[in-house]
């Protein structure tokens, strides 16, 4: 199982990625997506791997459930939909904006206190409407605003300074770094800045999967369980209407899933089975079918994953191919006899 002491930091090196998905058109492999995949069993042991699961990588927003756990441990009193928003990469729908405003209101703050970058809504339909209405980019609409509002709320509750809450040396970020190491089971390799302006911690893909498993197997009422319950029960607040990560949580009972930019996906089940995926070129079209293949490898019923099989490729307006996981992921082994 899991050690109580973090292991050494993963090595910073060029990852030794392997083919994880094929772009197949007319029966010919037209393109190959490289990446890495890890599948953990209920005992925390690696049951399947492809590529390089031990090199340092940036989990991007797939780390948000861990950051949310850290904030709850530091006293953040949110639950339900608002806690899901604290771990969200939201689509910028009105319900997301209203929820972030509510978190700020609870903290006695406003949008002006946020330090994330102004942006347009993430969802393309919502973004197009926003542009047609002449609305400019805003910090509230940026997909990480829930996390930033929760960070501010946590800082205020602890009496920490607000203007510099994104500084890696700030007590809030130090507390988050400590929990990242606790849940991943390894030291952070390095710290940089994420797209939203928050500190970004480099861990291994193996460590990311381990953290997700630690969250989903935690006892009821713990900060970990509160975050997992909130995200599963309010999947659309953690992402958005029509988003694949919300659909995945609806399709697989008990699944906690979180995506991240640059082709990262993590998912875990209540019994500790967990998967983590990194697509080397950051392609979202490969992330989804590879994650589905990894979940099937973890023992999830493939029929519940059918809608995540891969993007259909068109030729002249008709289907002529698809993006599919490599055979090692698409061929699920028969269960062991006991």
């Amino acid at each position: 199982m899991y050690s109580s002491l973090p292991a050494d930091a993963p090595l910073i090196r060029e990852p030794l990625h392997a083919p994880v998905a094929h772009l197949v058109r007319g029966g010919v492999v037209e393109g190959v997506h490289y990446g890495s995949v890890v599948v953990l069993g209920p005992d925390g042991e690696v049951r399947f791997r492809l590529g390089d699961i031990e090199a340092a990588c940036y989990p991007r927003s797939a780390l948000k459930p861990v950051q949310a756990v850290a904030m709850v441990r530091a006293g953040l009193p949110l639950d339900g939909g608002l806690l899901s928003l604290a771990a969200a990469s939201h689509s910028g729908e009105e319900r997301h904006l209203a929820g972030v405003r509510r978190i700020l209101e609870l903290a006695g703050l406003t949008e002006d206190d946020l330090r994330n970058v102004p942006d347009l809504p993430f969802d393309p339909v919502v973004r197009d409407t926003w542009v047609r209405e002449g609305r400019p980019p805003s910090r509230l609409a940026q997909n990480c605003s829930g996390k930033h509002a929760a960070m501010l709320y946590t800082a205020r509750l602890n009496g920490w300074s607000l203007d510099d809450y994104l500084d890696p040396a700030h007590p809030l970020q130090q507390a988050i770094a400590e929990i990242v190491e606790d849940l991943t089971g390894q030291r952070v390799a390095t710290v940089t800045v994420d797209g939203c302006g928050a500190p970004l911690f480099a861990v291994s893909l193996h460590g990311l999967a381990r953290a997700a498993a630690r969250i989903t197997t935690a006892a009821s009422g713990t900060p970990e369980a509160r975050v997992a319950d909130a995200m599963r029960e309010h999947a659309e607040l953690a992402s958005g209407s029509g988003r694949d990560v919300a659909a995945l949580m609806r399709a697989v009972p008990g699944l906690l899933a979180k995506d991240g930019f640059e082709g990262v996906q993590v998912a875990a089940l209540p019994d500790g089975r967990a998967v983590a995926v990194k697509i080397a070129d950051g392609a979202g079209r490969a992330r989804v079918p590879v994650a589905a293949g990894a979940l099937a490898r973890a023992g999830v019923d493939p029929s519940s994953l059918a809608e995540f099989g891969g993007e259909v490729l068109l030729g002249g307006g008709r289907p002529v191919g698809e993006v599919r996981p490599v055979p090692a992921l698409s061929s699920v082994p028969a269960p062991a006899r006991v």
Side-chain angles (χ1 to χ4, degrees):
M1 290 299 290
Y2 303 109
S3 170
S4 59
L5 295 175
D8 291 340
L11 293 177
I12 299 174
R13 64 184 182 218
E14 181 177 353
L16 302 174
H17 291 306
V20 293
H22 289 156
L23 178 70
V24 181
R25 182 183 296 271
V28 173
V29 176
E30 183 180 29
V32 179
H33 289 289
Y34 283 71
S36 296
V37 180
V38 61
V39 177
L40 302 184
D43 57 359
E45 295 299 314
V46 175
R47 298 296 175 85
F48 177 83
R49 71 172 74 198
L50 268 180
D52 193 344
I53 68 170
E54 302 296 355
C57 71
Y58 291 125
R60 304 298 297 269
S61 287
L63 197 66
K64 282 178 178 173
V66 177
Q67 292 169 309
V69 168
M71 289 187 276
V72 174
R73 287 195 188 184
L76 183 69
L78 301 178
D79 278 300
L82 295 184
L83 182 53
S84 185
L85 264 175
S89 299
H90 65 70
S91 291
E93 300 165 30
E94 285 302 322
R95 59 178 165 176
H96 298 131
L97 308 188
V100 177
R101 290 191 192 97
R102 178 56 181 158
I103 296 173
L104 290 169
E105 179 183 290
L106 290 169
L109 302 169
T110 70
E111 181 180 353
D112 292 337
D113 294 294
L114 294 171
R115 292 291 179 268
N116 57 321
V117 293
D119 201 356
L120 295 171
F122 179 77
D123 183 271
V125 175
V126 178
R127 182 170 61 244
D128 288 348
T129 301
W130 191 283
V131 171
R132 282 197 304 271
E133 294 173 350
R135 301 170 73 176
S138 79
R139 298 184 192 277
L140 201 67
Q142 197 267 339
N143 75 93
C144 301
S145 63
K147 176 182 76 175
H148 283 256
M151 284 181 171
L152 282 167
Y153 193 8
T154 305
R156 168 143 285 187
L157 288 168
N158 283 277
W160 297 329
S161 57
L162 301 181
D163 289 346
D164 61 342
Y165 75 94
L166 296 181
D167 187 329
H170 190 280
L172 170 68
Q173 301 303 337
Q174 291 290 301
I176 290 174
E178 180 180 337
I179 303 309
V180 169
E181 293 188 337
D182 176 25
L183 294 182
T184 63
Q186 61 189 178
R187 302 292 182 192
V188 169
T190 190
V191 182
T192 187
V193 182
D194 210 337
C196 66
L200 177 60
F201 307 97
V203 296
S204 70
L205 203 63
H206 188 180
L208 180 63
R210 193 159 43 221
R214 293 277 302 278
I215 290 172
T216 57
T217 57
S220 178
T222 61
E224 292 89 338
R226 285 170 55 189
V227 170
D229 289 344
M231 293 181 68
R232 289 184 293 222
E233 293 169 12
H234 303 273
E236 285 77 12
L237 284 175
S239 53
S241 303
R243 294 271 293 280
D244 58 74
V245 69
L248 192 59
M249 284 193 276
R250 290 194 301 268
V252 182
L255 185 72
L256 174 69
K258 185 70 188 75
D259 55 347
F261 279 152
E262 296 303 321
V264 183
Q265 177 81 53
V266 67
L269 290 152
D271 65 0
R273 287 175 289 162
V275 307
V277 169
K278 164 64 181 174
I279 306 300
D281 61 4
R285 71 178 182 180
R287 171 183 58 82
V288 179
V290 170
L295 285 168
R297 272 276 173 181
V300 174
D301 183 355
S303 66
S304 67
L305 301 166
E307 67 178 291
F308 309 101
E311 179 182 331
V312 174
L313 304 178
L314 301 179
R318 61 185 180 85
V320 295
E322 63 183 347
V323 178
R324 65 176 71 150
V326 294
L329 278 168
S330 57
S331 301
V332 180
R337 294 186 178 184
V338 294

